[in-house]
Amino acid sequence: MKSDPELISDETSEAPALESAASHGHGLRSGKFSWLAFGIGMVVLGGVAALLLNQPYYLSLGAVGLLFAALASAWNIIGGYGGQFSLAHAVFFAVGGYSVALTQVNWKWAPWPGLLLGIVLSTILAALLAWPLFRLRGPFFAIGTLALSVVVLALVTWMPWTGAALGLQIPFNEQPITSRPAWAFIFLGFLAVCVAVSLVVSRGRLGFYLVAVRDDQEAASAAGASALWVKTLGFAISAGLTGLGGGLYVMYLGFLDPPTFLDAVQIGAFIPLCALIGGLGTIVGPIIGGLVLPTLQTYMRGAFSNLPAGVSEAILGLVLILVALFFRAGIWGWLTSLVRRVMSRRAKSDERANI
Amino acid sequence: MNAQTSESTQSEFVLECHSVGKTYGGLKAVSDVNIAARRGEILGIIGPNGAGKTTLFNIISGHVGSTTGTIVFNGADVTRKPAHTRARLGMGRTFQIVRPIRSLTVLENVMIGAFHAYPTREAAAQQALRVLERVELIDRAKSNAGDLTLAGRKRLEVARALAGNTQLLLLDEVMAGLNPSEANLAIAMIHRLSLTGVSVILIEHNLKVVNELAQNVVVLDHGAEISQGSPAEVLSDPAVITAYLGNRKVAK
């Protein structure tokens, strides 16, 4: 690997040997390279979307894939780096959705301030919920967040001002963007935002603290990281991005009904599963998982439509179990370890050749 | 031995524990312990298994709350302050069972300890490298923390504890599990760190280590302090000999 210019440009230069050691960061955390890869990746995804412009079916599959890739990236900040397996992100997704839909339907707001409101409200809500929720650790935190999302679904279905079980419908002529292809690119933009935030977080102090708190909370606190504060910050950032996604999704759909936004399985567990299958705590993993999983699900629903209901779900469940058993680091983790193994084997054979 | 001169405005003691106690249910793990560590000194805490040494350490570092007493660090009462606040004030600790952040490299582990004093990534990395050089782990900077030998992981613990401009280093049995030559290297390292002005409190099982390093020793037994003084005084105290070494007659 080449050395990292950011570290070398630092004016507190030590001996050159020190600098070269500092420049070899940890995989994705190293230097400008990740921003270059980020740019290339987004251009490639945009190019693929452009190629699919005349294929509405695949383009709409791609749009949903990009949305979930973004949501999985956002979730990954607290769930992957921070190791806090939140099943409550459906709540933040819904807060974003309702912020746009309610302000537009009731007060004739444009969706843009509604989006902003959704980000603010979901961030604040997450920060407030963090205080009680992070008293719970590990699986208990996951159960607490699951309970929260179930309660919110029940509340929203029961309260009249949220449109109750019927939800809300945004009149077609009040939807600013109805072109389907445009949405693929909007969701790509949303993905770019989520990945950029993930990059900034993971390479900075907060990212290091999140990983430290995930791996060993006592050691992290002995090193000066406040576990509650670190988790709250990660949770709030992750929730804010998820709220933005919910707002965009309601603009895309043109309607909002509670199960589409708040279902504990289809949203609440599905987003974490995308990140899990792709590779937790990495930048690329959630993108892969988000692109693959919803597409696979839609494909299987079509392919097995003549079989009894539930077969595609059962197969998906089986895939998840296999991933959990044999690909613990997810698709991306498996790929990188494969590459590393091949490289080290080649390096060894080179050494032998030199002798 | 060399310290007070440079920081004359500060109090003589870097750490004071006033009648600190901790009870779990009816069990007194630590009771009425008074210790004071002078700035720049190495203070040893010894005692048989279950004497409450690690509990006392956890109370000092803030990982366990004390039931009674006060803890004063650098002249400020930190009794109610959480562990991370004490770390930010300049208190670094290691754990008896090493706790590296396994998914990070050695350098990144030390950066975790540096970040509170050096908030940017670049500054934290530079500080981490300086500290890794002090503990002679610089050539393993890029290794995964989990790949180090036990001696290496113990050094990593010390490095992480030192990285945030630490003034008081709490070492919990850093020699345990090391072979004699590794232990000698560790003794030399702690001695060097102490010469740079860092105050050290170390828990040790190994009396030889305490004898070589510590200027003062506190002996705990059943959660209470039974002796205090220079190593020579303490090790010849009959109460210590019976409590710490049992009934066997020991000729040192």
Side-chain angles (χ1 to χ4, degrees):
Chain A
M1 259 189 96
K2 283 274 163 270
S3 57
D4 181 341
E6 276 189 11
L7 282 175
I8 290 179
S9 67
D10 196 85
E11 82 276 17
T12 58
S13 289
E14 297 284 305
L18 297 190
E19 281 169 355
S20 75
S23 65
H24 292 74
H26 186 257
L28 287 163
R29 283 193 197 81
S30 61
K32 297 250 151 74
F33 173 75
S34 39
W35 286 108
L36 184 70
F38 167 73
I40 293 171
M42 291 304 143
V43 169
V44 167
L45 285 175
V48 172
L51 287 175
L52 293 174
L53 271 180
N54 296 323
Q55 314 256 3
Y57 174 69
Y58 291 108
L59 195 64
S60 75
L61 272 188
V64 173
L66 289 167
L67 172 69
F68 275 94
L71 292 171
S73 293
W75 180 86
N76 184 53
I77 292 172
I78 186 67
Y81 289 110
Q84 306 302 311
F85 214 92
S86 162
L87 294 169
H89 272 52
V91 173
F92 308 123
F93 192 61
V95 166
Y98 277 104
S99 296
V100 169
L102 283 171
T103 55
Q104 199 172 358
V105 170
N106 294 339
W107 302 331
K108 302 287 170 226
W109 281 23
W112 316 113
L115 278 178
L116 198 66
L117 181 71
I119 298 172
V120 171
L121 287 181
S122 46
T123 307
I124 293 174
L125 181 66
L128 293 177
L129 287 171
W131 194 71
L133 281 176
F134 286 128
R135 255 135 238 281
L136 308 169
R137 283 214 207 173
F140 301 100
F141 172 76
I143 292 169
T145 54
L146 176 65
L148 175 73
S149 88
V150 171
V151 168
V152 171
L153 176 59
L155 276 178
V156 154
T157 317
W158 170 70
M159 290 186 301
W161 63 273
T162 53
L166 282 180
L168 300 157
Q169 178 79 41
I170 298 169
F172 188 77
N173 56 9
E174 286 172 28
Q175 296 172 18
I177 301 163
T178 51
S179 142
R180 294 283 105 173
W183 277 101
F185 293 95
I186 293 170
F187 287 144
L188 178 64
F190 176 45
L191 174 64
V193 169
C194 291
V195 174
V197 172
S198 298
L199 270 172
V200 170
V201 166
S202 71
R203 294 180 63 247
R205 173 163 69 165
L206 180 60
F208 279 76
Y209 276 176
L210 281 167
V211 171
V213 165
R214 172 189 75 192
D215 284 8
D216 192 329
Q217 192 159 316
E218 273 68 39
S221 69
S226 158
L228 179 63
W229 178 239
V230 166
K231 288 192 244 181
T232 302
L233 216 55
F235 198 46
I237 292 170
S238 176
L241 290 171
T242 307
L244 173 60
L248 291 172
Y249 195 50
V250 86
M251 289 171 68
Y252 169 76
L253 289 179
F255 69 90
L256 184 160
D257 66 338
T260 309
F261 279 75
L262 272 164
D263 188 276
V265 175
Q266 282 301 316
I267 300 292
F270 194 72
I271 297 171
L273 280 179
C274 291
L276 185 67
I277 286 203
L280 287 181
T282 64
I283 295 289
V284 184
I287 305 175
I288 295 177
L291 288 172
V292 166
L293 208 54
T295 315
L296 189 69
Q297 197 183 31
T298 311
Y299 167 77
M300 286 199 304
R301 275 204 195 119
F304 304 125
S305 55
N306 50 349
L307 294 175
V311 169
S312 68
E313 275 76 11
I315 292 175
L316 199 68
L318 192 66
V319 170
L320 296 179
I321 292 169
L322 289 176
V323 167
L325 280 178
F326 299 111
F327 301 99
R328 298 295 290 274
I331 297 171
W332 181 245
W334 177 71
L335 280 175
T336 47
S337 75
L338 197 72
V339 169
R340 212 172 298 140
R341 227 174 302 148
V342 170
M343 299 274 267
S344 73
R345 199 170 298 161
R346 188 171 301 166
K348 262 182 209 144
S349 65
D350 280 358
E351 264 169 44
R352 248 177 252 132
N354 287 338
I355 295 165
Chain B
M1 59 205 225
N2 58 345
Q4 289 101 315
T5 47
S6 58
E7 279 154 323
S8 50
T9 54
Q10 299 269 347
S11 76
E12 181 191 0
F13 298 107
V14 66
L15 184 88
E16 297 156 77
C17 295
H18 300 296
S19 49
V20 165
K22 174 74 188 175
T23 50
Y24 291 103
L27 177 78
K28 282 185 177 170
V30 171
S31 60
D32 200 29
V33 169
N34 292 286
I35 60 172
R38 280 196 180 76
R39 202 166 291 285
E41 84 165 336
I42 299 180
L43 175 68
I45 299 178
I46 61 172
N49 282 330
K53 303 185 295 290
T54 296
T55 305
L56 178 62
F57 243 40
N58 285 335
I59 292 170
I60 295 173
S61 74
H63 282 80
V64 162
S66 59
T67 321
T68 59
T70 53
I71 294 153
V72 177
F73 177 55
N74 266 339
D77 185 345
V78 295
T79 314
R80 299 269 157 261
K81 297 265 192 289
H84 60 89
T85 308
R86 297 187 198 187
R88 282 160 183 268
L89 291 172
M91 200 189 276
R93 72 162 292 177
T94 67
F95 291 91
Q96 189 174 355
I97 296 155
V98 290
R99 308 178 87 149
I101 310 297
R102 285 175 185 279
S103 47
L104 298 179
T105 64
V106 168
L107 178 72
E108 288 167 339
N109 261 273
V110 183
M111 285 167 72
I112 298 279
F115 265 122
H116 70 78
Y118 302 86
T120 70
R121 205 173 93 101
E122 290 72 24
Q126 294 293 346
Q127 166 68 3
L129 288 167
R130 284 191 288 271
V131 173
L132 281 173
E133 210 167 27
R134 281 168 81 186
V135 303
E136 291 168 354
L137 210 56
I138 188 83
D139 26 322
R140 300 304 305 273
K142 289 181 284 172
S143 312
N144 282 322
D147 293 345
L148 294 177
T149 61
L150 179 66
R153 275 177 279 157
K154 297 243 172 188
R155 271 165 198 265
L156 175 58
E157 286 269 310
V158 175
R160 194 173 60 202
L162 266 181
N165 291 338
T166 301
Q167 298 161 47
L168 173 63
L169 193 56
L170 305 165
L171 302 176
D172 194 350
E173 297 212 11
V174 277
M175 310 291 171
L178 302 189
N179 67 37
S181 71
E182 289 168 338
N184 281 333
L185 286 171
I187 290 172
M189 177 186 81
I190 294 168
H191 188 65
R192 271 201 319 279
L193 290 177
S194 162
L195 291 179
T196 63
V198 180
S199 315
V200 179
I201 301 183
L202 71 125
I203 291 182
E204 259 313 323
H205 246 103
N206 188 336
L207 293 180
K208 174 178 166 274
V209 172
V210 175
N211 215 357
E212 281 187 35
L213 278 173
Q215 282 100 48
N216 280 299
V217 178
V218 176
V219 188
L220 295 184
D221 188 31
H222 298 297
E225 75 186 89
I226 56 166
S227 185
Q228 219 173 109
S230 73
E233 287 165 14
V234 158
L235 294 178
S236 58
D237 185 336
V240 176
I241 294 173
T242 44
Y244 190 77
L245 302 172
N247 296 324
R248 254 177 76 201
K249 293 269 183 219
V250 176
K252 175 99 204 354

